[in-house]
Amino acid sequence: MVYITEQLLRSRSEHNDCEIFSLEEVSLHQQDLQRIEHIDRWCRELKILYLQNNLIPHIENVGRLKKLQYLNLALNNIEVIENLEGCESLQKLDLTVNFVGRLSSVESLRENSELRELFLVGNPCTEFEGYRQYVVASLPQLQWLDGTEISRSERIRASQGLEEVRRRVREQEEEYLRRRATEKEEAQRKAAGEEKGSEGRKPGSDWYTDTNTAPSVEEENKENQEVEENAVASSDLEDEQREREFWHTPCSFSPESRLEAHRHLEEKKRTKEKEKEKKPKAPRTLITADGRVMNANEPRLDFSLTEDEENNTIVLDLAVYRHMDTSLIDVDVQPTYARVSVKGKIFQMVLPAEVKPDSSTAQRSQTTGHLVLTMPRAEGEIKVTKTVQRPPRARRTSSSEDSKRRNTVPERLEVDPSKRTTIDLANIVPRRSTKEGPLETSRVAPPSTAGRSSFSEGFVDDPDVPPLI
């Protein structure tokens, strides 16, 4: 049984900085609550209260909420409308799918002068003849009933035949209360029979052992194993059959049936938890006994493993959840494999080549959230870098000598002067030492031509100087 505690209210008031004394709205739905308590003392400023889908049988401890405007008690076990006279500001009351059979209890809402909307859809009282007419005539301040607006003409017609409608409603109420009394007795007898049946069943009463025979140890172990397997199989079949019978057996729509279904679900949940405790999950084998590394993907993430030939690296791209905090990720790179822990779940991948863990890097994308591991190879290959071809220059008009100089291979210098094929112009003018003074340049006469018959004056033919060509 779940109770309304201060801790529960504070956990549900995060929008109000976990302060409950100034809380104006709180939602306590689907908490399996069976009683309303403490709210009228701890949350005096409350205006909206959600208590739908619980197991509450009575409306209580809300009379001090003077500022309460909306109360939602749908999908509970309420049978009587009561204890709401103190809610002076109540404007909307939702009692959808409850067990309100006493339609006359609606008259207790006359004190709530601000009440404008009332929902009773799915209650047994809605099947009564004259239900809407009775409610409209009993609550003159009401404007909406079950989502339908009350017109002025409808209110006048309802007030005209109120006495006759009230008499019929009381007769139907008495019949409903008698039927409810029989349903309660049947539910009590059924609960008592189930308790006796559970006590009468004893484990191990369906089999016996013959003490006259003395089987061997191996045969006894085999028999015990077979008996255990048969017992497990039979118990599973019995559980499935019992589950099918429980949900397919017709029953009356009553608070007792709803409580029984709730207890059945709780018992099933507890048995599953016990089975998990008894049979712990075996740890996954990441590295075998002989040292072989296994691949694992417990978080079920998409990934891609590629090899970057230009940079000589191996790149692992892991599609980690985009909005997950990076502190929940742990990376371990080894020479032969990479391991990533994502919220305690292991992702492990064997690498195609040995890598350098010390030089590896881990980066995470700020847009996609992907985790990228860049791991350089341990033994890289020396590769020739590609030469970039320069674009051809624009051709300029040049002489024939320039074109020949570009096309021909440059000549190599020879040590032996006898092997020279070109004219050495460096020794045309003799040099003197710096101590003798400035250099004296000799004039070189142009070579003789066929048209000239005499040389110029002062010309001296030096045999050591080769002629100019």
Side-chain angles (χ1 to χ4, degrees), residues 253-269:
F253 181 65
S254 63
E256 290 78 17
S257 61
R258 182 176 286 182
L259 287 173
E260 185 181 0
H262 174 70
R263 286 193 295 267
H264 180 76
L265 293 175
E266 288 293 324
E267 184 180 356
K268 190 175 179 181
K269 185 178 179 181

Side-chain angles (χ1 to χ4, degrees), residues 358-404:
D358 297 339
S359 304
S360 302
T361 58
Q363 296 176 340
R364 192 175 181 194
S365 174
Q366 295 182 354
T367 55
T368 62
H370 286 207
L371 179 67
V372 180
L373 301 180
T374 305
M375 299 164 284
R377 289 174 176 267
E379 297 179 359
E381 299 178 359
I382 300 176
K383 298 185 178 181
V384 180
T385 58
K386 296 180 179 179
T387 57
V388 180
Q389 296 181 356
R390 296 181 180 178
R393 295 181 180 178
R395 293 184 178 180
R396 296 179 298 178
T397 57
S398 60
S399 61
S400 60
E401 295 179 359
D402 295 338
S403 62
K404 289 181 180 179

Side-chain angles (χ1 to χ4, degrees), residues 287-392:
I287 301 176
T288 59
D290 56 352
R292 188 163 59 93
V293 181
M294 309 294 290
N295 291 332
N297 190 3
E298 291 182 354
R300 299 179 181 274
L301 299 175
D302 296 334
F303 66 94
S304 63
L305 187 66
T306 57
E307 298 185 18
D308 190 354
E309 296 182 357
E310 294 183 359
N311 299 324
N312 198 27
T313 57
I314 299 175
V315 180
L316 175 62
D317 188 350
L318 190 61
V320 182
Y321 311 115
R322 180 178 179 181
H323 299 288
M324 193 180 71
D325 192 5
T326 309
S327 62
L328 301 175
I329 304 174
D330 187 15
V331 181
D332 181 16
V333 178
Q334 298 295 330
T336 57
Y337 66 91
R339 182 183 299 173
V340 180
S341 176
V342 181
K343 295 179 66 174
K345 296 183 179 181
I346 302 299
F347 174 88
Q348 185 168 285
M349 174 62 63
V350 180
L351 303 177
E354 188 175 351
V355 299
K356 299 177 182 179
D358 297 339
S359 304
S360 302
T361 58
Q363 296 176 340
R364 192 175 181 194
S365 174
Q366 295 182 354
T367 55
T368 62
H370 286 207
L371 179 67
V372 180
L373 301 180
T374 305
M375 299 164 284
R377 289 174 176 267
E379 297 179 359
E381 299 178 359
I382 300 176
K383 298 185 178 181
V384 180
T385 58
K386 296 180 179 179
T387 57
V388 180
Q389 296 181 356
R390 296 181 180 178

